[in-house]
Amino acid sequence: MPNDIAAPADERRVAAWIGRALTIHGRIVSQEHLTIDGQVDGTIEVGDHSLMIGAGATVKADLTARTISVSGSVTGNLTASERVVLQPTASVDGDITTPRLMMAEGAVVKGKVDSRGGR
């Protein structure tokens, strides 16, 4: 039998999504881009992928990703290997470690920012 059968459409998606109706308690590890519009309490690790926290999201977790974009509320530390982007509606209560930080007017950060090693 040939092994070149195409994967179903849902197997080929390029991002995972946690919708507004979901509340998750625990550790999330993703091997693809992740968007969170719901509530998460725990830790979130997406490695060399991007993580987006939507405007209605409430996250109480430490975040680790290549890029992190925040539009909602995050309580926890953010660690990004490439950049962190804080949209005007972003609220972060925790420390941010990243080579590059882009922060829009209106975004709020309560914590330390370490952006050493920027490219």
Side-chain angles (χ1 to χ4, degrees):
M1 293 190 118
N3 290 332
D4 58 347
I5 298 171
D10 61 343
E11 294 284 331
R12 291 179 273 158
R13 67 183 185 273
V14 294
W17 177 59
I18 297 173
R20 291 182 184 177
L22 292 176
T23 299
I24 296 176
H25 297 276
R27 181 175 179 222
I28 298 171
V29 179
S30 178
Q31 299 302 317
E32 58 191 4
H33 303 302
L34 176 61
T35 298
I36 298 174
D37 287 325
Q39 296 183 8
V40 175
D41 188 349
T43 60
I44 303 169
E45 303 169 27
V46 297
D48 196 32
H49 298 281
S50 63
L51 174 61
M52 184 184 323
I53 308 300
T58 303
V59 175
K60 294 179 181 175
D62 290 335
L63 313 179
T64 305
R66 179 174 45 87
T67 63
I68 301 171
S69 176
V70 179
S71 295
S73 172
V74 176
T75 301
N77 298 324
L78 283 64
T79 304
S81 60
E82 187 175 296
R83 85 172 145 247
V84 171
V85 178
L86 302 179
Q87 302 297 340
T89 55
S91 171
V92 176
D93 187 352
D95 297 341
I96 299 173
T97 304
T98 182
R100 292 186 294 175
L101 173 65
M102 298 178 351
M103 184 172 170
E105 185 175 342
V108 177
V109 175
K110 182 179 177 183
K112 296 183 293 183
V113 174
D114 181 350
S115 62
R116 288 177 283 178
R119 296 176 205 151

